[in-house]
Amino acid sequence: MQQAIDFLDESKALCALLTPISEAEFEMPTQFKGWTINNIIRHLHVWNIAVDLSLQDEAAFGAFVAAMMAGVRGGKLPEFEAGYLDGLSGHALRNAWIARAGTTADAFASADPKLRLKWVGPDMSALSSITARLMETWAHGQAVYDVLGMERQDTDRIGNIVRLGVNTWGFTWKNRRIEPPGQMPKLRLSAPSGAVWEYGASCESGVISGSATEFCQVVTQCRNIADTALEVTGEVAHQWMAVAQCFAGPPQDPPIKGTRHRADKGV
């Protein structure tokens, strides 16, 4: 699956960003819930392990889920993840995470895309599972780029995240127990390569146009729509961009305007 290759390439890009930083900088708090860089890389590493188990060892995956559910009572996911990895941190964590990302990508690259896999929520296809790992790597990686003051140079592999945003149009409303306010608005997005990606057949619900990167930032809730240059017309389009959520779990609100941004500094 190309998505497995894209997942690994996105992981490698984030790994390259982290390679020159100091051990102390891994403890820098980010704008995402105050999580440190260590917290973020542990999170990515643990759930890469989990998705690998879901593909290759269903019993071991079940044991992982049981341990995780017992360990996160009270909302202590970072603490569970740190314990699961025996406190692994810094460059040792980075090395373990990128190595496991490679083996996970290799396993999914040759898997049947339609294979159904157990997950914490509903079962997912292998294709959806590895696409979700790509999305999480990209979305959580944004907080790392931001705190280090670096602008990410995206590639057209973010098209996977655009499609995920499109495909979760219905989920966004169902998750909030709200009837969709209309048909999905039309999208007209500029890809990193300069190509134009269009989705949606009708403009009756409005139009969202601009950077594909910024659209991905909104549907992954890395940015408030007000902090982007996306052009949004139509009431339905405005409603969607205010609550869009392409990741699983209970309804989450986007960050407050101005709270997620690139720091004015370099590494």
Side-chain angles (χ1 to χ4, degrees):
M1 286 186 284
Q2 179 62 42
Q3 287 79 4
I5 298 170
D6 292 341
F7 155 72
L8 182 56
D9 286 344
E10 193 62 50
S11 300
K12 287 179 176 178
L14 180 56
C15 185
L17 176 70
L18 295 172
T19 298
I21 75 172
S22 69
E23 292 286 334
E25 286 175 301
F26 276 91
E27 280 299 307
M28 293 173 65
T30 71
Q31 297 164 2
F32 176 73
K33 300 181 180 181
W35 282 19
T36 66
I37 296 175
N38 271 326
N39 290 147
I40 287 172
I41 302 305
R42 285 186 194 121
H43 181 71
L44 295 177
H45 186 31
V46 166
W47 292 95
N48 288 349
I49 292 170
V51 81
D52 203 2
L53 292 176
S54 75
L55 177 65
Q56 305 198 70
D57 191 335
E58 187 173 313
F61 174 73
F64 166 84
V65 172
M68 183 273 297
M69 295 298 287
V72 299
R73 291 192 179 97
K76 298 180 179 178
L77 184 59
E79 288 84 350
F80 163 76
E81 291 165 345
Y84 185 81
L85 297 174
D86 294 325
L88 195 63
S89 65
H91 287 289
L93 169 64
R94 177 183 62 83
N95 290 336
W97 156 67
I98 197 63
R100 188 60 177 249
T103 59
T104 299
D106 287 346
F108 273 87
S110 59
D112 178 356
K114 296 181 180 179
L115 180 66
R116 302 302 297 180
L117 302 177
K118 296 292 184 183
W119 196 239
V120 178
D123 294 358
M124 292 197 294
S125 68
L127 175 59
S128 294
S129 294
I130 198 62
T131 302
R133 297 315 307 145
L134 166 62
M135 179 273 294
E136 282 241 331
T137 302
W138 186 89
H140 284 294
Q142 185 66 59
V144 180
Y145 281 89
D146 286 345
V147 76
L148 295 177
M150 303 297 289
E151 183 173 0
R152 176 163 44 196
Q153 301 301 312
D154 278 315
T155 73
D156 281 8
R157 62 176 170 263
I158 66 168
N160 295 291
I161 304 170
V162 170
R163 288 188 290 275
L164 194 57
V166 170
N167 291 340
T168 51
W169 152 263
F171 164 77
T172 291
W173 307 109
K174 182 178 180 180
N175 200 31
R176 290 175 175 267
R177 300 183 179 180
I178 298 174
E179 285 295 318
Q183 291 185 325
M184 191 189 81
K186 187 174 183 63
L187 295 179
R188 188 177 297 115
L189 303 174
S190 299
S193 67
V196 177
W197 294 335
E198 294 190 344
Y199 293 89
S202 172
C203 295
E204 293 180 4
S205 294
V207 179
I208 300 164
S209 59
S211 160
T213 289
E214 291 192 325
F215 176 79
C216 291
Q217 290 174 337
V218 172
V219 298
T220 58
Q221 297 190 352
C222 293
R223 292 287 190 273
N224 187 296
I225 182 64
D227 293 321
T228 74
L230 289 171
E231 295 183 8
V232 183
T233 60
E235 181 60 26
V236 174
H238 278 286
Q239 289 181 49
W240 183 28
M241 291 292 92
V243 297
Q245 178 176 331
C246 75
F247 50 89
Q252 300 287 324
D253 291 328
I256 296 170
K257 177 184 176 182
T259 59
R260 296 285 303 272
H261 54 84
R262 179 161 51 95
D264 294 328
K265 62 179 180 178
V267 175

